Amino acid sequence: AKSELTLSAEGYHYVPYMSMAVYQNILSSYYNQINVYRHEYNRLMDRTQAVEIRLEAARQVLARVDDVTRLQEQDLADLEQEIERTKQTRAEIKVRFEESKVELDSARQDFEEGIEQYKQEQAAKAAFGFLKAIVKIFTFGAGGGDGPDDDEIP
């Protein structure tokens, strides 16, 4: 939405990307109508034909113009549907992104709590090891002999 406003402010028009199938359908319909129109126009302009035939060709040309108008209206409706689908997809992606963001924040918080818990465990182990060393010094150091190795202390 912000980029759309920026483009509008600079004098550009935002055109959403449509699938290639939409454009192919539009071109195919126009191509068919143009061929019919060209055929009827050639009949209208053929001076070798009788006036009745030329009048019928003129009616057909006018009918084709009406067909093209209806075709354009249908194309606009199709494009509006495609735009709505694009908007819906965009909204769904935004919701998924927000959900992922919440999940990512939750995972980050769990990770930080895990790191904090790990730090506390390591601090407790270090404090316990320090106390164990002091006890060893006082217990076996006062006796004057070599104390048991760390492997021997339960």
Side-chain angles (χ1 to χ4, degrees):
K2 186 177 180 182
S3 61
E4 292 173 33
L5 292 175
T6 304
L7 287 173
S8 295
E10 295 175 4
Y12 297 101
H13 298 284
Y14 176 75
V15 178
Y17 171 76
M18 303 292 173
S19 66
M20 183 61 83
V22 171
Y23 295 113
Q24 287 173 339
N25 288 341
I26 290 171
L27 289 176
S28 175
S29 297
Y30 278 114
Y31 183 73
N32 292 337
Q33 290 299 321
I34 287 170
N35 283 335
V36 172
Y37 180 81
R38 183 176 46 213
H39 174 71
E40 294 301 329
Y41 180 79
N42 288 338
R43 279 185 50 203
L44 170 66
M45 299 309 289
D46 186 1
R47 295 186 188 266
T48 62
Q49 297 289 332
V51 173
E52 293 82 22
I53 293 174
R54 292 179 70 194
L55 284 174
E56 180 59 31
R59 286 187 198 99
Q60 291 297 323
V61 167
L62 290 175
R64 292 296 158 223
V65 170
D66 290 340
D67 289 347
V68 168
T69 302
R70 280 192 299 272
L71 183 62
Q72 288 174 338
E73 291 170 353
Q74 181 61 46
D75 290 343
L76 286 174
D78 291 345
L79 289 174
E80 287 174 356
Q81 288 177 352
E82 187 71 19
I83 288 170
E84 288 304 314
R85 281 194 292 266
T86 302
K87 286 179 181 179
Q88 183 179 3
T89 300
R90 181 179 172 204
E92 289 171 0
I93 289 172
K94 186 175 180 180
V95 167
R96 288 183 190 162
F97 177 74
E98 292 299 324
E99 289 171 353
S100 297
K101 194 170 146 183
V102 168
E103 290 174 9
L104 180 63
D105 287 343
S106 175
R108 180 186 52 81
Q109 186 176 3
D110 291 347
F111 178 72
E112 288 174 355
E113 289 172 0
I115 288 176
E116 193 60 37
Q117 182 180 359
Y118 176 76
K119 286 179 183 177
Q120 290 173 358
E121 288 174 0
Q122 293 304 313
K125 284 182 183 178
F128 182 70
F130 180 72
L131 289 175
K132 192 174 173 182
I134 290 176
V135 168
K136 182 178 174 183
I137 289 172
F138 283 117
T139 305
F140 298 110
D146 284 338
D149 292 334
D150 282 341
D151 296 339
E152 296 174 5
I153 296 178

